[in-house]
Amino acid sequence: LAGLVRRAVERFVYRRADAFVTLSEAFADLLVEGYGVQRDLVHVIPPGVDQNSLSFHTLTSVLPGTN
């Protein structure tokens, strides 16, 4: 029952928002298909990391205990 109430509250809130920002198309799809949000209100902004610019050396130089 608590899950149903939570879902109803989420739908109520989501349907009244002016816009949404998600990090992925998958979550955008979830909002549209699972919560009835209009697709034109959902904006996808991918995370700001260029994964191609990272290397093992880059990661080990910034992670504690790896160098």
Side-chain angles (χ1 to χ4, degrees), residues 13-67:
V13 171
Y14 287 173
R15 288 186 178 174
R16 283 153 184 77
D18 294 325
F20 298 85
V21 175
T22 68
L23 297 176
S24 70
E25 289 292 339
F27 192 71
D29 292 342
L30 175 70
L31 288 174
V32 173
E33 296 166 13
Y35 292 94
V37 171
Q38 294 177 348
R39 183 61 178 99
D40 61 329
L41 297 179
V42 183
H43 307 277
V44 178
I45 302 176
V49 174
D50 178 8
Q51 295 175 346
N52 294 325
S53 69
L54 297 176
S55 67
F56 182 75
H57 173 74
T58 303
L59 293 175
T60 58
S61 67
V62 296
L63 295 175
T66 58
N67 46 359

